[in-house]
Coordinates of all heavy atoms in Angstrom, one line a residue:
V1000 N 0.9 -1.2 0.0 CA 0.0 0.0 0.0 C 0.9 1.2 0.0 O 1.9 1.3 0.7 CB -0.9 0.0 1.3 CG1 -1.7 1.3 1.3 CG2 -1.8 -1.2 1.3
R1001 N 0.5 2.2 -0.8 CA 1.3 3.4 -0.8 C 0.4 4.6 -0.4 O -0.7 4.7 -0.8 CB 1.8 3.7 -2.3 CG 2.6 5.0 -2.4 CD 3.0 5.1 -3.8 NE 3.8 6.4 -3.9 CZ 4.6 6.6 -4.9 NH1 4.9 5.7 -5.8 NH2 5.2 7.8 -4.9
I1002 N 0.9 5.4 0.5 CA 0.2 6.5 1.0 C 1.1 7.8 0.8 O 2.2 7.8 1.2 CB -0.1 6.4 2.6 CG1 -0.9 5.2 2.8 CG2 -0.8 7.7 3.1 CD1 -1.0 4.8 4.3
N1003 N 0.5 8.7 0.1 CA 1.2 10.0 -0.2 C 0.8 11.1 0.8 O -0.4 11.3 1.0 CB 0.9 10.5 -1.6 CG 1.5 9.5 -2.6 OD1 2.6 8.9 -2.4 ND2 0.9 9.4 -3.8
F1004 N 1.7 11.7 1.5 CA 1.4 12.8 2.4 C 1.8 14.1 1.7 O 2.8 14.2 1.0 CB 2.3 12.6 3.7 CG 1.8 11.5 4.5 CD1 2.4 10.2 4.4 CD2 0.8 11.6 5.4 CE1 2.1 9.2 5.1 CE2 0.5 10.5 6.2 CZ 1.1 9.3 6.1
S1005 N 1.0 15.1 1.9 CA 1.3 16.4 1.3 C 2.3 17.2 2.2 O 2.9 18.1 1.7 CB 0.1 17.2 1.1 OG -0.6 17.4 2.3
N1006 N 2.5 16.8 3.4 CA 3.3 17.5 4.4 C 4.4 16.5 4.9 O 4.1 15.5 5.4 CB 2.5 18.0 5.5 CG 3.3 18.9 6.5 OD1 4.5 18.7 6.6 ND2 2.5 19.7 7.2
P1007 N 5.7 16.9 4.7 CA 6.8 16.0 5.1 C 6.8 15.7 6.6 O 7.1 14.7 7.1 CB 8.0 16.7 4.7 CG 7.7 17.9 4.0 CD 6.2 18.0 4.0
K1008 N 6.4 16.7 7.4 CA 6.3 16.5 8.9 C 5.3 15.5 9.3 O 5.5 14.7 10.2 CB 6.1 17.9 9.6 CG 7.2 18.8 9.5 CD 6.9 20.1 10.3 CE 8.1 21.1 10.1 NZ 7.8 22.3 10.8
V1009 N 4.2 15.5 8.6 CA 3.1 14.5 8.9 C 3.6 13.1 8.5 O 3.4 12.1 9.2 CB 1.8 14.9 8.2 CG1 0.7 13.8 8.4 CG2 1.3 16.2 8.7
A1010 N 4.3 13.0 7.4 CA 4.8 11.7 6.9 C 5.8 11.2 7.9 O 5.8 10.0 8.2 CB 5.4 11.9 5.5
A1011 N 6.7 12.1 8.4 CA 7.7 11.6 9.4 C 7.1 11.2 10.7 O 7.5 10.2 11.2 CB 8.7 12.8 9.7
R1012 N 6.0 11.9 11.1 CA 5.3 11.5 12.3 C 4.6 10.2 12.2 O 4.7 9.3 13.1 CB 4.3 12.6 12.7 CG 3.7 12.4 14.0 CD 4.7 12.7 15.1 NE 4.2 12.2 16.4 CZ 4.9 12.0 17.4 NH1 6.2 12.1 17.3 NH2 4.4 11.6 18.5
A1013 N 4.0 9.9 11.0 CA 3.4 8.6 10.7 C 4.4 7.5 10.8 O 4.1 6.4 11.3 CB 2.6 8.7 9.4
R1014 N 5.5 7.7 10.2 CA 6.6 6.7 10.2 C 7.1 6.4 11.6 O 7.2 5.2 12.0 CB 7.7 7.1 9.3 CG 8.7 5.9 9.2 CD 9.9 6.3 8.3 NE 10.7 5.1 8.0 CZ 11.6 4.6 8.8 NH1 11.8 5.1 10.0 NH2 12.3 3.5 8.5
I1015 N 7.3 7.4 12.4 CA 7.8 7.2 13.8 C 6.8 6.4 14.6 O 7.1 5.5 15.3 CB 8.0 8.6 14.4 CG1 9.2 9.3 13.8 CG2 8.2 8.5 15.9 CD1 9.4 10.7 14.2
E1016 N 5.5 6.7 14.4 CA 4.5 6.0 15.3 C 4.1 4.7 14.7 O 3.7 3.8 15.5 CB 3.3 6.9 15.4 CG 3.6 8.2 16.2 CD 2.3 8.9 16.6 OE1 1.2 8.4 16.5 OE2 2.5 10.1 17.0
L1017 N 4.2 4.4 13.4 CA 3.6 3.2 12.8 C 4.6 2.2 12.3 O 4.3 1.1 12.0 CB 2.7 3.5 11.7 CG 1.4 4.4 12.1 CD1 0.6 4.7 10.9 CD2 0.6 3.6 13.1
H1018 N 5.9 2.6 12.3 CA 6.9 1.6 11.7 C 7.1 0.4 12.6 O 7.2 0.5 13.8 CB 8.3 2.4 11.6 CG 9.3 1.5 10.9 ND1 9.2 1.1 9.6 CD2 10.5 1.0 11.4 CE1 10.2 0.4 9.3 NE2 11.0 0.3 10.4
E1019 N 7.0 -0.8 12.0 CA 7.1 -2.1 12.7 C 6.0 -2.3 13.8 O 6.2 -3.1 14.7 CB 8.5 -2.2 13.3 CG 9.6 -2.3 12.2 CD 10.9 -2.8 12.7 OE1 11.1 -3.0 13.9 OE2 11.8 -3.1 11.9
T1020 N 4.9 -1.7 13.6 CA 3.7 -2.1 14.4 C 3.0 -3.2 13.8 O 3.1 -3.4 12.6 CB 2.8 -0.8 14.6 OG1 2.3 -0.4 13.4 CG2 3.5 0.3 15.4
K1021 N 2.2 -3.9 14.5 CA 1.5 -5.1 14.0 C 0.1 -4.6 13.4 O -0.5 -3.8 14.0 CB 1.2 -6.1 15.1 CG 2.5 -6.7 15.7 CD 2.4 -8.2 15.4 CE 3.8 -8.8 16.0 NZ 4.0 -10.0 15.5
F1022 N -0.2 -5.2 12.3 CA -1.5 -4.9 11.6 C -2.0 -6.1 10.9 O -1.3 -6.6 10.0 CB -1.3 -3.7 10.6 CG -2.6 -3.3 9.9 CD1 -3.6 -2.6 10.6 CD2 -2.8 -3.7 8.6 CE1 -4.7 -2.3 9.9 CE2 -4.0 -3.4 8.0 CZ -4.9 -2.7 8.6
N1023 N -3.1 -6.7 11.3 CA -3.6 -7.9 10.8 C -2.6 -9.1 10.9 O -2.4 -9.9 10.0 CB -4.1 -7.8 9.4 CG -5.4 -7.0 9.3 OD1 -6.2 -6.9 10.3 ND2 -5.7 -6.5 8.1
G1024 N -1.8 -9.1 12.0 CA -0.9 -10.2 12.2 C 0.5 -10.0 11.5 O 1.3 -10.9 11.5
K1025 N 0.7 -8.9 10.9 CA 2.0 -8.7 10.2 C 2.6 -7.4 10.6 O 1.9 -6.4 11.0 CB 1.7 -8.6 8.6 CG 1.3 -10.0 8.1 CD 1.4 -10.0 6.6 CE 1.0 -11.4 6.1 NZ 1.3 -11.6 4.7
K1026 N 3.9 -7.3 10.5 CA 4.6 -6.0 10.9 C 4.5 -5.1 9.7 O 4.8 -5.4 8.6 CB 6.1 -6.3 11.2 CG 6.4 -6.6 12.6 CD 7.9 -6.6 12.8 CE 8.2 -7.0 14.2 NZ 9.7 -7.1 14.4
L1027 N 4.2 -3.8 10.0 CA 4.2 -2.8 9.0 C 5.7 -2.3 8.8 O 6.4 -2.1 9.7 CB 3.4 -1.6 9.4 CG 1.9 -1.8 9.4 CD1 1.2 -0.5 10.0 CD2 1.3 -2.1 8.1
K1028 N 6.1 -2.1 7.6 CA 7.4 -1.5 7.2 C 7.1 -0.3 6.4 O 6.4 -0.3 5.4 CB 8.2 -2.5 6.3 CG 8.5 -3.8 6.9 CD 9.7 -3.8 7.7 CE 10.1 -5.2 8.1 NZ 11.2 -5.3 9.0
L1029 N 7.6 0.8 7.0 CA 7.3 2.1 6.4 C 8.6 2.7 5.8 O 9.6 2.7 6.5 CB 6.7 3.1 7.4 CG 5.3 2.6 8.0 CD1 5.0 3.4 9.2 CD2 4.2 2.7 7.0
Y1030 N 8.5 3.3 4.6 CA 9.7 3.9 3.9 C 9.3 5.2 3.3 O 8.1 5.5 3.0 CB 10.1 3.0 2.8 CG 10.5 1.6 3.2 CD1 9.6 0.5 3.1 CD2 11.7 1.3 3.8 CE1 9.9 -0.8 3.5 CE2 12.1 0.0 4.2 CZ 11.2 -1.0 4.0 OH 11.5 -2.3 4.5
F1031 N 10.3 6.1 3.2 CA 10.1 7.3 2.5 C 10.5 7.2 1.1 O 11.4 6.4 0.8 CB 11.0 8.4 3.1 CG 10.6 8.8 4.5 CD1 11.4 8.6 5.6 CD2 9.4 9.5 4.7 CE1 11.0 9.0 6.9 CE2 9.0 9.9 6.0 CZ 9.8 9.6 7.1
A1032 N 9.8 7.8 0.2 CA 10.2 7.8 -1.2 C 10.1 9.2 -1.8 O 9.2 10.0 -1.4 CB 9.2 6.9 -2.0
Q1033 N 11.0 9.5 -2.7 CA 11.0 10.8 -3.3 C 10.2 10.7 -4.6 O 10.4 9.8 -5.4 CB 12.4 11.3 -3.6 CG 13.1 11.8 -2.4 CD 14.4 12.4 -2.7 OE1 15.1 11.9 -3.6 NE2 14.8 13.5 -2.1
V1034 N 9.4 11.7 -4.9 CA 8.6 11.7 -6.1 C 9.5 12.4 -7.2 O 10.1 13.4 -7.0 CB 7.3 12.6 -6.0 CG1 6.6 12.6 -7.3 CG2 6.5 12.0 -4.9
Q1035 N 9.6 11.7 -8.4 CA 10.4 12.2 -9.5 C 9.5 12.9 -10.4 O 8.7 12.2 -11.1 CB 11.1 11.1 -10.2 CG 12.2 10.4 -9.3 CD 13.5 11.1 -9.5 OE1 13.8 11.7 -10.5 NE2 14.4 10.9 -8.5
N1036 N 9.5 14.2 -10.5 CA 8.7 14.9 -11.4 C 9.5 15.2 -12.7 O 10.7 15.2 -12.7 CB 8.3 16.3 -10.8 CG 7.4 16.1 -9.6 OD1 6.6 15.2 -9.6 ND2 7.5 17.0 -8.7
Q1037 N 8.8 15.3 -13.8 CA 9.4 15.7 -15.0 C 9.6 17.2 -15.1 O 8.9 17.9 -14.6 CB 8.6 15.2 -16.2 CG 8.6 13.7 -16.4 CD 8.0 13.3 -17.7 OE1 7.3 14.0 -18.3 NE2 8.2 12.0 -18.1
G1038 N 10.7 17.5 -15.8 CA 11.0 19.0 -16.0 C 10.0 19.6 -16.9 O 9.1 19.0 -17.5
P1039 N 10.1 20.9 -17.0 CA 9.1 21.7 -17.9 C 9.1 21.3 -19.3 O 8.1 21.4 -20.0 CB 9.5 23.1 -17.7 CG 10.9 23.1 -17.1 CD 11.1 21.8 -16.4
D1040 N 10.3 20.8 -19.8 CA 10.4 20.4 -21.2 C 10.1 18.9 -21.4 O 10.4 18.3 -22.5 CB 11.7 20.8 -21.8 CG 12.9 20.3 -21.0 OD1 12.7 19.7 -20.0 OD2 14.0 20.4 -21.5
G1041 N 9.7 18.2 -20.4 CA 9.4 16.8 -20.5 C 10.5 15.8 -20.1 O 10.4 14.6 -20.1
D1042 N 11.7 16.4 -19.9 CA 12.9 15.6 -19.6 C 12.8 15.2 -18.1 O 12.2 15.9 -17.3 CB 14.2 16.3 -19.8 CG 14.5 16.5 -21.3 OD1 13.9 15.8 -22.1 OD2 15.3 17.4 -21.6
N1043 N 13.4 14.0 -17.8 CA 13.5 13.7 -16.4 C 14.5 14.5 -15.7 O 15.4 15.1 -16.4 CB 13.9 12.2 -16.2 CG 12.7 11.3 -16.6 OD1 11.6 11.6 -16.5 ND2 13.1 10.0 -16.9
L1044 N 14.5 14.7 -14.5 CA 15.4 15.5 -13.8 C 16.7 14.8 -13.4 O 17.0 14.6 -12.2 CB 14.7 16.1 -12.5 CG 13.5 17.0 -12.7 CD1 12.9 17.4 -11.4 CD2 13.9 18.2 -13.6
H1045 N 17.4 14.3 -14.4 CA 18.6 13.6 -14.2 C 19.8 14.6 -14.4 O 19.6 15.6 -15.0 CB 18.8 12.5 -15.2 CG 17.8 11.4 -15.1 ND1 17.7 10.6 -14.0 CD2 16.8 11.0 -16.0 CE1 16.7 9.7 -14.2 NE2 16.2 10.0 -15.4
L1046 N 20.9 14.3 -13.7 CA 22.0 15.1 -13.9 C 22.6 15.0 -15.3 O 22.7 14.0 -15.9 CB 23.1 14.7 -12.9 CG 22.8 15.0 -11.4 CD1 24.0 14.4 -10.6 CD2 22.7 16.4 -11.2
A1047 N 22.9 16.2 -15.9 CA 23.4 16.2 -17.2 C 24.9 16.2 -17.1 O 25.5 16.7 -16.1 CB 22.9 17.5 -17.9
P1048 N 25.7 15.7 -18.1 CA 27.1 15.8 -18.0 C 27.6 17.2 -18.1 O 26.9 18.0 -18.7 CB 27.6 14.9 -19.2 CG 26.4 14.9 -20.1 CD 25.2 15.0 -19.3
P1049 N 28.7 17.5 -17.5 CA 29.2 18.9 -17.5 C 29.6 19.3 -18.9 O 30.1 18.4 -19.7 CB 30.4 18.9 -16.5 CG 30.8 17.5 -16.5 CD 29.6 16.7 -16.7
Q1050 N 29.5 20.5 -19.2 CA 30.0 21.0 -20.5 C 31.5 21.0 -20.6 O 32.1 21.5 -19.6 CB 29.4 22.5 -20.8 CG 28.0 22.6 -20.9 CD 27.5 21.8 -22.2 OE1 28.2 21.8 -23.2 NE2 26.3 21.2 -22.1
P1051 N 32.1 20.5 -21.6 CA 33.6 20.5 -21.6 C 34.1 21.9 -21.8 O 33.7 22.7 -22.6 CB 33.9 19.7 -22.9 CG 32.7 19.8 -23.7 CD 31.5 19.9 -22.8
A1052 N 35.1 22.2 -20.9 CA 35.8 23.5 -21.0 C 36.7 23.6 -22.2 O 36.9 24.7 -22.8 CB 36.5 23.8 -19.7
K1053 N 37.3 22.5 -22.5 CA 38.3 22.5 -23.6 C 38.0 21.2 -24.4 O 37.6 20.2 -23.8 CB 39.7 22.4 -23.1 CG 40.1 23.7 -22.4 CD 41.6 23.6 -22.0 CE 42.1 24.8 -21.3 NZ 43.5 24.7 -20.9
Q1054 N 38.2 21.2 -25.6 CA 38.1 20.0 -26.5 C 39.5 19.4 -26.6 O 40.4 20.1 -27.2 CB 37.5 20.3 -27.9 CG 36.1 20.8 -27.8 CD 35.1 19.7 -27.4 OE1 35.4 18.6 -27.6 NE2 34.0 20.2 -26.8
F1055 N 39.8 18.3 -26.1 CA 41.1 17.7 -26.2 C 41.1 16.7 -27.4 O 40.2 15.9 -27.5 CB 41.4 16.9 -24.9 CG 41.5 17.7 -23.7 CD1 40.5 17.9 -22.8 CD2 42.7 18.5 -23.5 CE1 40.6 18.7 -21.7 CE2 42.8 19.3 -22.4 CZ 41.8 19.4 -21.5
L1056 N 42.1 17.0 -28.2 CA 42.2 16.2 -29.4 C 43.1 15.0 -29.2 O 44.1 15.1 -28.5 CB 42.8 17.0 -30.6 CG 41.9 18.3 -30.9 CD1 42.6 19.1 -32.0 CD2 40.6 17.8 -31.4
I1057 N 42.7 13.9 -29.8 CA 43.5 12.7 -29.7 C 44.6 12.6 -30.8 O 45.7 12.2 -30.6 CB 42.6 11.4 -29.7 CG1 41.7 11.4 -28.5 CG2 43.5 10.1 -29.8 CD1 40.7 10.3 -28.5
S1058 N 44.2 13.1 -32.0 CA 45.1 13.1 -33.1 C 46.0 14.3 -33.1 O 45.7 15.3 -32.4 CB 44.3 13.1 -34.4 OG 43.5 14.2 -34.5
P1059 N 47.1 14.2 -33.8 CA 48.0 15.3 -33.8 C 47.4 16.5 -34.5 O 46.5 16.4 -35.3 CB 49.3 14.8 -34.5 CG 48.8 13.6 -35.3 CD 47.6 13.1 -34.5
P1060 N 48.0 17.7 -34.4 CA 47.4 18.9 -35.1 C 47.6 18.7 -36.6 O 48.5 18.0 -37.0 CB 48.2 20.0 -34.5 CG 49.4 19.4 -33.9 CD 49.1 18.0 -33.5
A1061 N 46.8 19.5 -37.3 CA 46.9 19.4 -38.8 C 48.2 20.0 -39.3 O 48.7 19.6 -40.3 CB 45.7 20.2 -39.4
S1062 N 48.8 21.0 -38.6 CA 50.0 21.5 -39.0 C 51.0 21.6 -37.8 O 50.5 21.7 -36.7 CB 49.8 22.9 -39.6 OG 49.3 23.8 -38.6
P1063 N 52.3 21.5 -38.0 CA 53.2 21.5 -36.9 C 53.3 22.8 -36.2 O 53.0 23.8 -36.8 CB 54.5 21.1 -37.5 CG 54.4 21.4 -38.9 CD 52.9 21.3 -39.3
P1064 N 53.7 22.9 -35.0 CA 53.8 24.1 -34.3 C 54.9 25.0 -34.9 O 55.8 24.5 -35.6 CB 54.2 23.7 -32.9 CG 54.0 22.3 -32.7 CD 53.9 21.7 -34.1
V1065 N 54.8 26.3 -34.7 CA 55.8 27.2 -35.3 C 57.2 26.9 -34.7 O 57.4 26.7 -33.6 CB 55.4 28.7 -34.9 CG1 56.4 29.7 -35.4 CG2 54.0 29.0 -35.4
G1066 N 58.1 26.8 -35.7 CA 59.5 26.6 -35.3 C 59.9 25.1 -35.2 O 61.0 24.8 -35.0
W1067 N 58.9 24.2 -35.4 CA 59.2 22.8 -35.3 C 60.0 22.3 -36.6 O 59.6 22.7 -37.7 CB 57.9 22.0 -35.2 CG 58.1 20.5 -35.1 CD1 58.4 19.8 -34.0 CD2 58.0 19.6 -36.2 NE1 58.5 18.5 -34.3 CE2 58.3 18.3 -35.6 CE3 57.7 19.7 -37.5 CZ2 58.3 17.1 -36.4 CZ3 57.7 18.5 -38.3 CH2 58.0 17.2 -37.7
Q1068 N 61.0 21.5 -36.4 CA 61.8 21.0 -37.5 C 61.9 19.5 -37.3 O 62.2 19.0 -36.2 CB 63.2 21.6 -37.6 CG 63.1 23.1 -37.9 CD 64.5 23.6 -38.0 OE1 65.5 22.9 -37.8 NE2 64.6 24.9 -38.3
Q1069 N 61.7 18.8 -38.4 CA 61.8 17.3 -38.3 C 63.3 16.9 -38.3 O 64.1 17.5 -39.0 CB 61.2 16.7 -39.6 CG 61.2 15.2 -39.5 CD 60.4 14.6 -40.7 OE1 59.8 15.3 -41.5 NE2 60.4 13.3 -40.8
I1070 N 63.6 15.9 -37.4 CA 64.9 15.4 -37.3 C 65.0 14.1 -38.1 O 64.0 13.4 -38.2 CB 65.4 15.3 -35.9 CG1 64.5 14.3 -35.1 CG2 65.4 16.6 -35.2 CD1 65.0 13.9 -33.7
D1071 N 66.2 13.8 -38.6 CA 66.4 12.5 -39.3 C 66.5 11.4 -38.2 O 67.1 11.6 -37.2 CB 67.7 12.6 -40.1 CG 67.6 13.5 -41.3 OD1 66.4 13.8 -41.7 OD2 68.6 14.1 -41.7
D1072 N 65.9 10.3 -38.6 CA 66.0 9.1 -37.7 C 67.4 8.6 -37.7 O 68.1 8.7 -38.7 CB 65.0 8.0 -38.1 CG 63.6 8.4 -37.9 OD1 63.3 9.3 -37.1 OD2 62.7 7.8 -38.6
A1073 N 67.8 8.1 -36.5 CA 69.1 7.5 -36.4 C 69.2 6.2 -37.3 O 68.2 5.5 -37.5 CB 69.4 7.1 -35.0
T1074 N 70.3 5.9 -37.8 CA 70.5 4.7 -38.6 C 70.4 3.5 -37.7 O 71.0 3.5 -36.6 CB 72.0 4.8 -39.2 OG1 72.1 6.0 -40.0 CG2 72.2 3.6 -40.1
P1075 N 69.6 2.6 -38.1 CA 69.4 1.4 -37.2 C 70.7 0.6 -37.1 O 71.5 0.5 -38.1 CB 68.3 0.6 -37.9 CG 68.3 1.1 -39.3 CD 68.8 2.5 -39.3
I1076 N 70.9 0.0 -36.0 CA 72.0 -0.9 -35.7 C 71.6 -2.3 -36.0 O 70.6 -2.8 -35.4 CB 72.5 -0.8 -34.3 CG1 72.9 0.7 -34.0 CG2 73.6 -1.7 -34.0 CD1 73.2 0.9 -32.5
I1077 N 72.2 -2.9 -37.0 CA 71.9 -4.3 -37.4 C 73.0 -5.2 -37.0 O 74.1 -5.0 -37.3 CB 71.7 -4.3 -39.0 CG1 70.6 -3.4 -39.4 CG2 71.4 -5.8 -39.4 CD1 70.5 -3.2 -40.9
N1078 N 72.6 -6.2 -36.2 CA 73.5 -7.2 -35.7 C 73.4 -8.4 -36.7 O 72.6 -9.2 -36.6 CB 73.1 -7.6 -34.3 CG 74.1 -8.6 -33.7 OD1 74.9 -9.2 -34.4 ND2 74.1 -8.6 -32.3
Y1079 N 74.4 -8.4 -37.6 CA 74.4 -9.4 -38.6 C 74.7 -10.8 -38.1 O 74.3 -11.8 -38.6 CB 75.4 -9.1 -39.7 CG 75.0 -7.9 -40.6 CD1 75.5 -6.6 -40.4 CD2 73.9 -8.0 -41.5 CE1 75.1 -5.5 -41.1 CE2 73.5 -6.9 -42.2 CZ 74.1 -5.7 -42.0 OH 73.6 -4.6 -42.7
D1080 N 75.5 -10.9 -37.0 CA 75.8 -12.2 -36.4 C 74.5 -12.8 -35.8 O 74.3 -14.0 -36.0 CB 76.8 -12.0 -35.3 CG 78.2 -11.6 -35.8 OD1 78.5 -11.9 -36.9 OD2 78.9 -11.0 -35.0
L1081 N 73.7 -12.0 -35.2 CA 72.4 -12.5 -34.7 C 71.5 -12.9 -35.9 O 70.9 -14.0 -35.8 CB 71.7 -11.4 -33.9 CG 70.4 -11.7 -33.3 CD1 70.5 -12.9 -32.3 CD2 69.8 -10.5 -32.6
L1082 N 71.4 -12.1 -36.9 CA 70.6 -12.5 -38.1 C 71.1 -13.8 -38.7 O 70.3 -14.7 -39.0 CB 70.6 -11.4 -39.1 CG 69.8 -10.1 -38.8 CD1 70.0 -9.1 -39.9 CD2 68.4 -10.4 -38.6
Y1083 N 72.4 -14.0 -38.8 CA 73.0 -15.2 -39.3 C 72.6 -16.4 -38.4 O 72.2 -17.5 -38.9 CB 74.5 -15.1 -39.5 CG 75.2 -16.4 -39.9 CD1 75.0 -16.8 -41.2 CD2 75.9 -17.1 -39.0 CE1 75.6 -18.0 -41.6 CE2 76.5 -18.3 -39.4 CZ 76.4 -18.7 -40.7 OH 77.0 -19.9 -41.1
A1084 N 72.7 -16.3 -37.1 CA 72.4 -17.3 -36.2 C 70.9 -17.7 -36.2 O 70.6 -18.9 -36.2 CB 72.8 -16.9 -34.8
V1085 N 70.0 -16.7 -36.3 CA 68.6 -17.0 -36.4 C 68.3 -17.7 -37.8 O 67.4 -18.6 -37.8 CB 67.8 -15.7 -36.3 CG1 66.3 -15.9 -36.6 CG2 67.9 -15.2 -34.9
A1086 N 68.9 -17.3 -38.8 CA 68.7 -17.9 -40.1 C 69.1 -19.4 -40.1 O 68.5 -20.2 -40.9 CB 69.4 -17.1 -41.2
K1087 N 70.1 -19.8 -39.3 CA 70.6 -21.2 -39.3 C 69.6 -22.1 -38.5 O 69.7 -23.3 -38.7 CB 71.9 -21.3 -38.6 CG 73.1 -20.7 -39.5 CD 74.4 -21.1 -39.0 CE 74.6 -21.3 -37.5 NZ 75.9 -21.6 -37.1
L1088 N 68.7 -21.5 -37.7 CA 67.8 -22.3 -36.9 C 66.8 -23.1 -37.9 O 66.3 -22.5 -38.9 CB 67.0 -21.4 -36.0 CG 67.8 -20.7 -34.9 CD1 66.8 -19.8 -34.1 CD2 68.5 -21.7 -34.0
G1089 N 66.6 -24.3 -37.6 CA 65.6 -25.1 -38.3 C 64.6 -25.6 -37.4 O 64.8 -25.8 -36.2
P1090 N 63.4 -25.9 -38.0 CA 62.3 -26.5 -37.1 C 62.6 -27.9 -36.6 O 63.2 -28.7 -37.3 CB 61.1 -26.5 -38.1 CG 61.7 -26.5 -39.4 CD 63.0 -25.8 -39.4
G1091 N 62.3 -28.1 -35.4 CA 62.4 -29.4 -34.8 C 63.8 -29.7 -34.2 O 64.1 -30.8 -33.6
E1092 N 64.8 -28.9 -34.4 CA 66.1 -29.1 -33.9 C 66.3 -28.5 -32.5 O 65.6 -27.6 -32.1 CB 67.2 -28.4 -34.8 CG 67.2 -29.0 -36.2 CD 68.2 -28.3 -37.1 OE1 69.1 -27.6 -36.6 OE2 68.0 -28.4 -38.4
K1093 N 67.2 -29.1 -31.7 CA 67.4 -28.6 -30.3 C 68.5 -27.6 -30.4 O 69.5 -27.7 -31.0 CB 67.8 -29.8 -29.4 CG 66.6 -30.7 -29.2 CD 67.0 -31.8 -28.2 CE 65.8 -32.7 -28.0 NZ 66.1 -33.8 -27.0
Y1094 N 68.3 -26.5 -29.6 CA 69.3 -25.4 -29.5 C 69.5 -25.1 -28.1 O 68.6 -25.1 -27.2 CB 68.8 -24.2 -30.3 CG 68.6 -24.5 -31.7 CD1 67.3 -24.7 -32.2 CD2 69.7 -24.4 -32.6 CE1 67.1 -25.0 -33.6 CE2 69.4 -24.7 -33.9 CZ 68.2 -25.0 -34.4 OH 68.0 -25.2 -35.7
E1095 N 70.8 -24.7 -27.8 CA 71.1 -24.3 -26.4 C 71.1 -22.7 -26.4 O 71.9 -22.1 -27.1 CB 72.5 -24.8 -26.0 CG 72.9 -24.5 -24.6 CD 74.2 -25.1 -24.2 OE1 74.7 -25.9 -25.0 OE2 74.7 -24.8 -23.2
L1096 N 70.2 -22.2 -25.7 CA 70.0 -20.7 -25.7 C 71.1 -20.1 -24.8 O 71.7 -19.1 -25.2 CB 68.7 -20.3 -25.2 CG 67.5 -20.8 -26.0 CD1 66.2 -20.4 -25.4 CD2 67.6 -20.2 -27.4
H1097 N 71.4 -20.7 -23.6 CA 72.4 -20.2 -22.7 C 73.3 -21.4 -22.4 O 72.8 -22.5 -22.1 CB 71.8 -19.6 -21.4 CG 71.0 -18.4 -21.7 ND1 71.6 -17.1 -21.9 CD2 69.7 -18.2 -21.7 CE1 70.7 -16.2 -22.1 NE2 69.5 -16.8 -22.0
A1098 N 74.5 -21.1 -22.3 CA 75.4 -22.2 -21.9 C 75.1 -22.6 -20.5 O 75.0 -21.8 -19.6 CB 76.9 -21.8 -22.1
G1099 N 75.1 -23.9 -20.3 CA 74.8 -24.4 -18.9 C 75.9 -24.2 -18.0 O 77.1 -24.1 -18.3
T1100 N 75.6 -24.0 -16.7 CA 76.6 -23.8 -15.7 C 76.4 -24.9 -14.6 O 75.3 -25.5 -14.5 CB 76.6 -22.4 -15.0 OG1 75.3 -22.2 -14.4 CG2 76.8 -21.3 -16.0
E1101 N 77.4 -25.1 -13.8 CA 77.3 -26.1 -12.7 C 76.3 -25.7 -11.6 O 75.8 -26.5 -10.9 CB 78.7 -26.4 -12.2 CG 79.6 -27.1 -13.2 CD 80.9 -27.4 -12.6 OE1 81.1 -27.3 -11.4 OE2 81.8 -27.7 -13.4
S1102 N 76.1 -24.4 -11.4 CA 75.3 -24.0 -10.3 C 73.8 -23.7 -10.7 O 73.4 -23.5 -11.6 CB 75.8 -22.7 -9.6 OG 75.9 -21.7 -10.5

């Protein structure tokens, strides 16, 4: 059963006096509920997300900043010994990755 009170003080007084009293062999449980009214434009009164103060871009800018100069990439260091050793590996063969030690 739902009972709506027009005055919050009367609702509080009713809850104080009637909560967990016996009625027809059962305990009454009384709760307060807030009424959700719709706003004047028909929207529910939910919190709206805040307006962004700044738009943060994920992608880089369309043009570089003033004074920016591109630098040449360093020449990659190629370890030919490592490439040769990897090229010699064959499927199904056993290889020692690290030399074994006694300890």
Side-chain angles (χ1 to χ4, degrees):
V1000 175
R1001 181 178 176 157
I1002 301 172
N1003 293 328
F1004 292 92
S1005 59
N1006 185 335
K1008 289 182 182 179
V1009 175
R1012 188 71 192 157
R1014 185 178 191 281
I1015 289 169
E1016 292 191 18
L1017 297 174
H1018 186 65
E1019 294 194 351
T1020 59
K1021 296 241 178 196
F1022 180 75
N1023 285 341
K1025 295 192 177 191
K1026 268 188 185 179
L1027 291 175
K1028 301 270 187 184
L1029 300 165
Y1030 302 98
F1031 291 116
Q1033 286 186 317
V1034 178
Q1035 294 272 337
N1036 294 328
Q1037 288 190 345
D1040 56 354
D1042 290 340
N1043 287 337
L1044 299 176
H1045 297 296
L1046 291 175
Q1050 293 295 325
K1053 294 181 180 179
Q1054 296 291 336
F1055 294 100
L1056 300 176
I1057 295 173
S1058 60
S1062 59
V1065 175
W1067 180 82
Q1068 292 181 0
Q1069 184 173 358
I1070 58 171
D1071 293 332
D1072 290 337
T1074 304
I1076 299 172
I1077 300 172
N1078 187 339
Y1079 291 104
D1080 293 334
L1081 178 62
L1082 289 175
Y1083 174 73
V1085 170
K1087 287 191 336 180
L1088 296 177
E1092 297 178 17
K1093 293 184 179 182
Y1094 298 98
E1095 186 175 350
L1096 299 178
H1097 293 282
T1100 60
E1101 293 181 12
S1102 58

